[in-house]
Amino acid sequence: MQATLHNADPLDHRQFLVAVKRLADSLSYGTDRSPFLGQGLEYVQSRRYEPGDPVKSIDWRVTARTGKHHVKQFETPKQMPVWLVVDTSASMAIASHPPGKYGLAVQVAGGIALACLDHVNPVGVLGAGGRDLVIQPSLSRDVLLQWLHALRHYRFDEPTTLGQRLLSLEPSLTQRSMLIVLSDFHDPDALAAMKLIGARHDCLCLIFRDPAEDQLEGAGLFRGREVESGRELLTHGKRLLSTTDALTESLKKASLDHFLIRPGTPFLGQLRHFLRSRGGASRRSRQ
């Protein structure tokens, strides 16, 4: 079964454009400084020489002062490719508070994408569901609007492929990139994939949780059917594999920055602060 995102009124092309532009104006993406060190123009620090480092990068002043060879490190270029990984699976369609998890995820993705383009960061998108949606990073607003329109349509029976899609994307990342994953993280394979990518790239997790899901965490025994796989199950609310507390704890242990978004709860101010406070070695979480 397929559905289309709606706001209070039907969301046509112009209304949708205005909505994401307003969100982008509110976000202030915060990538003015690169979180990575490499071959750039702005000197950051010096470190001990390692075999294989180019001789031309030796910092002779620090070497003379310490008696040990050091090399200079520079900030990498700020035009870092940004990948938005949007979960389009059936569980994202839960919506006890309009526009629901999926509607918010699409709006947040559009706002961040427009903010990135304002900072001249090319943006790509990867769908993490049953559909084949892969758009290479681009600075074109027309391309951005095309995939936003594609994301307006969603299904109530779409499987989750978040971990699989992340693993398939990783080999194609030939340069350091920033990945922003927008999902409810019900895929048990997602955490291992994000840890792998986070070792070489900057990975942020935007967690979308509906208030109705919190009630399940304290529920007793119940029988149900998982819409993403069709698997029938008998479980206890306390044994759900992806409770919010368990998920955030796992992300902290994996040193993955994350931010929790709940439909029906104001979040833009905190999200803007979270994105703005992003740093290279620092790991933060916000709820």
Side-chain angles (χ1 to χ4, degrees):
M1 180 178 178
Q2 181 169 299
T4 303
L5 287 178
H6 294 279
N7 203 345
D9 298 315
L11 199 60
D12 64 21
H13 174 86
R14 289 168 296 180
Q15 289 174 321
F16 195 59
L17 179 61
V18 170
V20 293
K21 277 191 172 181
R22 287 176 178 172
L23 183 58
D25 291 340
S26 302
L27 280 177
S28 180
Y29 180 57
T31 55
D32 286 339
R33 293 189 63 84
S34 168
F36 295 112
L37 300 177
Q39 298 300 318
L41 297 176
E42 184 177 346
Y43 170 79
V44 177
Q45 63 185 25
S46 294
R47 62 167 175 80
R48 287 287 298 274
Y49 174 86
E50 296 178 358
D53 288 333
V55 176
K56 65 179 181 181
S57 66
I58 293 179
D59 188 333
W60 294 108
R61 290 186 177 181
V62 177
T63 298
R65 185 171 67 251
T66 62
K68 298 180 181 180
H69 286 87
H70 283 70
V71 294
K72 294 181 179 180
Q73 287 188 302
F74 299 86
E75 187 176 282
T76 57
K78 300 174 185 178
Q79 286 71 31
M80 182 187 302
V82 177
W83 279 91
L84 298 172
V85 183
V86 182
D87 190 345
T88 61
S89 63
S91 62
M92 288 290 287
I94 297 176
S96 65
H97 288 74
K101 295 191 295 183
Y102 184 72
L104 272 183
V106 173
Q107 289 191 357
V108 170
I112 292 178
L114 286 170
C116 289
L117 294 188
D118 289 341
H119 286 269
V120 201
N121 290 94
V123 181
V125 65
L126 175 68
R131 72 187 76 176
D132 186 16
L133 179 62
V134 182
I135 308 295
Q136 294 298 321
S138 169
L139 291 172
S140 170
R141 289 176 180 262
D142 290 338
V143 172
L144 184 153
L145 291 176
Q146 289 174 11
W147 59 255
L148 279 177
H149 274 292
L151 287 174
R152 285 188 62 194
H153 305 287
Y154 62 99
R155 298 186 61 87
F156 294 105
D157 58 354
E158 191 166 345
T160 180
T161 57
L162 179 57
Q164 175 185 339
R165 293 296 173 88
L166 287 172
L167 289 176
S168 65
L169 175 66
E170 198 276 338
S172 67
L173 301 177
T174 56
Q175 67 180 103
R176 278 177 168 171
S177 306
M178 175 173 286
L179 281 80
I180 302 178
V181 184
L182 303 94
S183 173
D184 53 12
F185 296 95
H186 287 320
D187 184 353
D189 299 327
L191 182 60
M194 288 186 296
K195 288 175 65 175
L196 176 65
I197 289 182
R200 295 182 57 244
H201 306 277
D202 201 19
C203 187
L204 309 182
C205 304
L206 301 185
I207 308 168
F208 292 81
R209 285 298 168 98
D210 192 275
E213 294 177 285
D214 294 334
Q215 298 174 7
L216 290 178
E217 295 180 10
L221 288 170
F222 61 89
R223 184 185 300 274
R225 183 175 63 88
E226 191 177 48
V227 293
E228 296 175 355
S229 65
R231 179 174 61 93
E232 293 187 355
L233 67 154
L234 176 65
T235 185
H236 192 286
K238 293 182 179 179
R239 295 180 181 175
L240 290 176
L241 295 178
S242 55
T243 60
T244 303
D245 291 342
L247 173 61
T248 54
E249 184 64 26
S250 297
L251 292 173
K252 288 179 182 178
K253 290 181 179 178
S255 298
L256 291 167
D257 287 350
H258 55 279
F259 181 88
L260 179 63
I261 297 176
R262 298 182 183 273
T265 303
F267 67 91
L268 269 180
Q270 290 181 317
L271 176 58
R272 182 172 60 247
H273 176 70
F274 169 74
L275 295 174
R276 187 179 291 167
S277 64
R278 288 287 296 116
S282 63
R283 299 292 179 188
R284 306 176 178 86
S285 62
R286 300 285 187 272
Q287 297 187 23

